[in-house]
Amino acid sequence: QVQLVESGGGLVQAGGSLRLSCAASGNIVSMNVMGWYRQAPGKQRELVATFISGGSTNYADSVKARFTISRDNAKNTVYLQMSSLKPEDTAVYYCNLRQLRTNYWGQGTQVTVSS
């Protein structure tokens, strides 16, 4: 079993920055994908950014050049540095770990960007 614990959400003004963290524990294999998704009220959950254990990253077009994903493999932790935040970035952000064809999710952390 795998557990994901997120932290770092909160309220910020437009143009501000936040950093999310997600620590994974449990039965984690070396080859996996860790990432962030978000879900705004009334909308489907969408991909924000992913980081494959080999080093490749992927971003949604809406966050490119503003968000940066990173990970510390030794700590099984993934980070999301969010800058130049916009009101449309308001959502619950979920940490995701995918390994052995199974998805694991964190409990979610609220990010609210005021205009």
Side-chain angles (χ1 to χ4, degrees), residues 62-83:
S62 60
V63 307
K64 282 181 181 177
R66 299 189 299 122
F67 291 10
T68 301
I69 189 170
S70 61
R71 63 184 286 173
D72 184 334
N73 288 332
K75 296 181 179 180
N76 291 319
T77 299
V78 65
Y79 307 94
L80 185 69
Q81 178 66 48
M82 305 184 292
S83 302

Side-chain angles (χ1 to χ4, degrees), residues 2 4 19-25 27-36 49-59 67-81 95-100:
V2 173
L4 302 174
R19 187 190 194 212
L20 306 182
S21 301
C22 172
S25 61
N27 297 322
I28 300 168
V29 302
S30 58
M31 293 297 294
N32 59 55
V33 181
M34 294 190 76
W36 294 92
T50 58
F51 199 129
I52 301 173
S53 54
S56 298
T57 59
N58 181 48
Y59 293 91
F67 291 10
T68 301
I69 189 170
S70 61
R71 63 184 286 173
D72 184 334
N73 288 332
K75 296 181 179 180
N76 291 319
T77 299
V78 65
Y79 307 94
L80 185 69
Q81 178 66 48
C95 178
N96 171 269
L97 184 150
R98 178 171 176 80
Q99 63 178 27
L100 303 176

